[in-house]
């Protein structure tokens, strides 16, 4: 078989396979062209998830008829005037999108330059059908119909219309976040799906497009290092999601999905989130053009950095610093489901006790009463003692600026501290909070040279399997820097002589067993200092105040004061919140006062 040059229409279809994977890909290319044209308003109409119709209208600079003809040819673009591909500042630059889309769909391209007449060109699956004058305001309108209509092999691999619409909407959200100065609107099957106004700030646009609660449950990012600038917003660790779909990353204004950046996010939130939870973030990274290569993927969704380690370290450091400054902050407002548990609802009257004068039955005509979900019941001789205790409110409520978590007023179920703040009621999970405090103490101690140890009066023997003992023995010198002094005691046992002083009277057997399991998942080439958070978190969990322990008011207040000055104290080592607040307004709603 001889080598031959492929015909133009086939070349375009091959290119379409690289650039136009699905309707969302075509939409992305068209909207990026509108942004590069200097548009201030971009309107998108979709039908059938984008497979039946994609229409993008902008008020950009527009094109003249000769430029429109040239734009439908491959590798024709206005975005590389000096051939410096490593200095690209626009979203598009390859010149493949329009001819590729036109080769697998019916495309109507209409454009008008200010001060001139409009023009239209219709291309049906690569063939020019018609062209002529068109009436439209200054700008460009691109209409794509029946995408892959004549390529059944490609169309049958598309997902449902609903799934394709979701992908298209996600593309629009990312592009809208990248340019808060531009107004965007999206209409699907005649229904308005998205609309944002131009001139917004970055955090405002991110909150509108993700979750409006993000504005009050996030920290601002503003970090610079060696010519790189990192900005954006990052949700508090307690403001998280079950999927990673709420992570938006932009490099020089370009939405990207990069493994390096995603890995940096995981590193920044390590030990602050449970493994199955994901942060809500929108990061905007500005990198000198000669430090990043955007020409590594046909769809331009991936980038390559000249110094990946610098970028990753900057993201981790910037996020960590911002989260450290957040201090004790947590998602303060409980969920609506939790508040709903307190609302009044119809309930049966309490059963009468033995000494009640009323009969055990009620007449049929007796009206029904509403009882609160949390009811005051009459005491009975068989009832268990209450699980909560309150202290006299002797101490005045402190000023919220000085003590945001207030003063302790009592303890519930030997697990939760009830505190009164100036602006509401604070509930604290004592075990989760103290676990975070112990972890941060150990981090500080390690940064200052090592963790202080407390010798055991009687060394404790911990029996393990032989591989577990081997792992601990190999790491014994490193564990001693954490304050844990242990040595081999036979083939299947370890002798513990000292434990970290910060842990107090913890369960030594459980601590050593868990550490042996943790070491099994570590790379032998890594030192424990590189896994500091994992080791310290394991130790902190065993050294924290347990649920079920009765605390004095002084102990509770000491815990609250330390939380207020400790970084990340708003969430435990597993990502769960350590405290929540019922604002005065929420309490008034529960009692029908508001």
């Amino acid at each position: 078989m001889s080598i031959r040059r492929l015909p133009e229409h086939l070349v375009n279809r091959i290119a379409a396979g690289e650039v136009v994977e699905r309707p969302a890909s075509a939409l992305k290319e068209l909207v990026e062209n509108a942004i590069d044209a200097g548009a201030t308003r971009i309107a998108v109409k979709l039908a059938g998830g984008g497979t039946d119709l994609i229409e993008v209208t902008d008020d950009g600079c527009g094109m003249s008829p000769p430029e429109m003809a040239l734009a439908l040819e491959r590798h024709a673009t206005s975005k590389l005037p000096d051939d410096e591909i490593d200095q690209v500042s626009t979203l598009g630059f390859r010149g493949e999108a329009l001819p590729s889309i036109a080769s697998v769909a019916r495309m109507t391209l209409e454009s008008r330059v200010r001060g001139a007449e409009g023009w239209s060109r219709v291309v049906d699956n690569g063939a020019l059908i018609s062209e002529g004058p068109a009436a439209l305001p200054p700008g460009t309108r691109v209409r794509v119909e029946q995408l892959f209509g004549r390529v059944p092999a490609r169309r049958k691999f598309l997902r449902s219309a609903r799934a394709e619409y979701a992908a298209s909407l996600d593309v629009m959200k990312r592009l809208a976040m990248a340019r808060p100065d531009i107004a965007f609107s999206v209409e699907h099957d005649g229904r308005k799906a998205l609309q944002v106004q131009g001139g917004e700030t970055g955090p405002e646009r991110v909150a509108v497009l993700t979750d409006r609660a993000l504005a009050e449950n996030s920290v601002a990012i503003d970090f610079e290092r060696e010519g790189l600038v990192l900005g954006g917003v990052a949700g508090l660790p307690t403001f998280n999601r079950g999927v990673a779909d709420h992570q938006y990353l932009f490099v020089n204004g370009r939405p990207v999905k990069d493994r390096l950046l995603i890995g940096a996010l995981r590193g920044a939130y390590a030990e602050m989130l449970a493994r199955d939870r994901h942060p809500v973030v929108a990061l905007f990274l500005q990198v000198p053009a000669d430090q990043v290569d955007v020409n590594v993927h046909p769809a331009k969704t991936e980038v390559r950095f000249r110094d990946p380690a610098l970028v990753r370290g900057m993201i981790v450091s910037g996020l960590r610093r911002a989260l450290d400054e957040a201090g004790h902050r947590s998602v303060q407002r409980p969920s609506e489901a939790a508040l709903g548990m307190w609302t009044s609802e119809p309930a049966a009257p309490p059963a009468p006790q033995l000494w009640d004068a009323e009969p055990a039955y009620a007449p049929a005509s007796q009206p029904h009463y509403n009882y609160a979900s949390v009811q005051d019941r009459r005491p009975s001789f068989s009832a268990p003692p209450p699980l909560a205790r309150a202290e006299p409110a002797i101490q005045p409520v402190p000023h919220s600026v000085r003590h945001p978590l207030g003063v302790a007023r009592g303890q519930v179920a030997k697990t939760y501290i009830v505190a009164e703040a100036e602006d509401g009621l604070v509930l604290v999970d004592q075990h989760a909070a103290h676990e975070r405090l112990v972890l941060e103490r150990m981090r500080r101690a390690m940064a200052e040279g090592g963790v202080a140890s407390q010798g055991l009066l009687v060394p404790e023997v911990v029996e393990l399997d032989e591989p577990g003992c081997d792992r601990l023995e190999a790491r014994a010198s490193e564990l001693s820097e954490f304050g844990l002094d242990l040595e081999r005691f036979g083939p299947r046992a370890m002798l513990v002589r000292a434990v970290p002083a910060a842990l107090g009277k913890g369960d030594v057997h459980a601590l050593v067993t868990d550490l042996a399991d943790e070491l099994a998942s570590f790379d032998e080439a890594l030192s424990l200092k590189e896994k500091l958070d994992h080791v310290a978190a394991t130790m902190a969990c065993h050294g924290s105040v347990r649920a079920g322990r009765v605390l004095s008011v002084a102990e509770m207040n000491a815990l609250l004061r330390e939380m207020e000055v400790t970084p990340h104290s708003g969430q435990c080592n597993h990502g769960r919140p350590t405290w929540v607040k019922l604002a005065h307004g929420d309490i008034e709603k529960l009692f029908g006062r508001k």
Side-chain angles (χ1 to χ4, degrees), residues 383-389 413-414:
L387 294 178
R389 62 187 181 85
K414 301 180 182 179

Side-chain angles (χ1 to χ4, degrees), residues 214 217-219 233-240 269 279-282 319 323:
L214 180 64
N217 293 300
S218 63
V219 293
V233 293
L236 297 174
T238 47
F239 188 81
N240 52 58
Y269 280 87
V280 179
V281 297
L319 282 171
L323 294 173

Side-chain angles (χ1 to χ4, degrees), residues 318-331:
L319 282 171
R320 284 279 184 176
R321 176 177 296 184
L323 294 173
D324 287 347
E325 292 175 355
H328 68 278
R329 284 183 61 194
S330 175
V331 178

Side-chain angles (χ1 to χ4, degrees), residues 57 112 245 261 266 273 305 317 333 355 366 479:
T57 305
R112 177 189 166 195
D245 292 347
L261 302 180
R266 292 174 180 166
L273 283 177
F305 298 101
S317 300
R333 181 178 175 82
W355 58 84
Q366 182 173 334
L479 287 171

Side-chain angles (χ1 to χ4, degrees), residues 180 196 199-212 215 233:
V196 290
E200 295 177 327
T201 65
E204 288 174 345
R205 177 63 62 87
V206 171
V208 168
L209 295 175
T210 54
D211 189 332
R212 294 189 181 275
V233 293

